[in-house]
Amino acid sequence: VPEVFGSATALRTVIMNIVINARQALKDGGDVWVRTKQENGWAMIEVEDNGQGIPPELMDKITQPFFTTKGEDGSGLGLSVARKVIARHEGEIEFESTVGEGTTVRIRLPVVDEARRRELEQARPEDAAPAGAAPEIEVPDVLVVDDDAIILNTMKALLVGAGLVAESASDAAEGLQKFEGWVRQARRAPKVVITDLRMPGLLGTDMAKRVKEIAPQTKVILISGYLGEDAEAANSPYLDGIVSKPFKFAELLKHVRDT
């Protein structure tokens, strides 16, 4: 597959969301295939399953934000995020499905030739920083910290799909390193930190205490499936919100929006 310009993290999140959807469509077992190829100047990724398929009357709705056929098990944002991310990459996404036979999702991304490479590298020269100027540091709206990679990437993707700038870390130590770096270099902190409770090294409550010491205005939201066993954590003075696992994304987003 030829080279494309884009965000590896964002594209990985798109593929992950689509594969998760394909897996969930296999109610009675089945297969999921992921293919890549080049076609007519595009780099193409296909995710195909032989699951239950999508009814024709729902095809126009599946990429709408918060539309889901999974009830409380779905957020309705996975395919909405995918559509937005692919559009930002100047690509295309399409769906082909037959009820009872399965679904194929095709993503096309523009191949970068030398002419296009030069065009992108020279784009928007008016925005270029003066020679010798320090690069601008982008500080996210939300920092998400969780040692479960699937939960971490899913939460980040959903927050991005909700219009927020989100960054992630796989444990408290990495999260604090990033947080302190933004404060030190940009003199600004994320507005919200979402942290799991039980992680290797520091607990989420310990991270919350450190975050508040550095930037008291940052809101800290704790997520955990163990709050019934950790009454002390639930009473931490360093928390601005607590969400118990499992949770609906809309519930978490409300906590974020309320900060």
Side-chain angles (χ1 to χ4, degrees):
V1 177
E3 190 176 45
V4 300
F5 270 117
S7 164
T9 299
L11 292 174
R12 188 179 300 115
T13 298
V14 167
I15 302 302
M16 179 191 71
N17 284 342
I18 293 172
V19 170
I20 287 173
N21 279 353
R23 174 65 184 85
Q24 291 174 337
L26 306 179
K27 296 287 187 180
D28 301 315
D31 299 292
V32 178
W33 297 271
V34 181
R35 308 184 188 94
T36 58
K37 60 184 177 181
Q38 182 176 359
E39 183 179 273
N40 299 326
W42 298 90
M44 180 181 289
I45 305 103
E46 288 185 342
V47 179
E48 179 183 357
D49 68 72
N50 56 4
Q52 57 190 345
I54 303 170
E57 64 270 19
L58 299 182
M59 288 296 287
D60 291 339
K61 301 178 180 179
I62 57 177
T63 60
Q64 294 178 6
F66 303 108
F67 175 80
T68 179
T69 60
K70 303 170 189 173
E72 295 185 355
D73 294 329
S75 68
L77 285 171
L79 294 181
S80 173
V81 170
R83 178 177 57 81
K84 290 180 180 179
V85 169
I86 297 305
R88 290 194 197 107
H89 285 74
E90 300 181 7
E92 300 174 354
I93 184 168
E94 65 181 28
F95 304 85
E96 180 181 317
S97 188
T98 301
V99 174
E101 296 184 11
T103 301
T104 301
V105 182
R106 295 186 182 89
I107 295 171
R108 296 182 179 88
L109 298 169
V111 172
V112 179
D113 56 21
E114 284 304 314
R116 178 62 170 154
R117 182 192 299 277
R118 287 194 297 272
E119 177 186 341
L120 290 171
E121 289 175 346
Q122 296 170 8
R124 301 179 66 187
E126 69 277 7
D127 293 340
E136 182 179 351
I137 305 297
E138 182 180 26
V139 179
D141 300 312
V142 185
L143 171 63
V144 186
V145 186
D146 199 306
D147 60 329
D148 185 314
I150 293 178
I151 292 176
L152 182 67
N153 290 330
T154 300
M155 280 199 295
K156 180 180 177 181
L158 293 173
L159 289 165
V160 170
L164 297 163
V165 178
E167 184 56 79
S168 60
S170 59
D171 57 38
E174 181 187 1
L176 284 172
Q177 182 180 28
K178 290 184 175 183
F179 191 89
E180 291 170 350
W182 290 316
V183 172
R184 183 173 60 254
Q185 298 177 48
R187 300 290 188 269
R188 189 159 60 88
K191 297 176 182 177
V192 181
V193 171
I194 301 171
T195 178
D196 191 19
L197 174 59
R198 295 189 177 181
M199 298 179 289
L202 288 176
L203 291 173
T205 46
D206 295 326
M207 179 175 180
K209 180 177 184 293
R210 179 61 181 144
V211 164
K212 289 294 190 179
E213 290 172 347
I214 299 171
Q217 74 280 8
T218 294
K219 306 301 182 183
V220 182
I221 300 169
L222 185 77
I223 55 174
S224 175
Y226 303 97
L227 289 177
E229 305 170 22
D230 291 296
E232 183 179 349
N235 294 322
S236 170
Y238 304 105
L239 300 176
D240 299 283
I242 300 174
V243 179
S244 297
K245 293 181 181 178
F247 57 84
K248 298 179 183 178
F249 178 68
E251 178 188 0
L252 179 64
L253 186 59
K254 183 179 186 302
H255 278 273
V256 173
R257 296 291 196 197
D258 287 346
T259 57

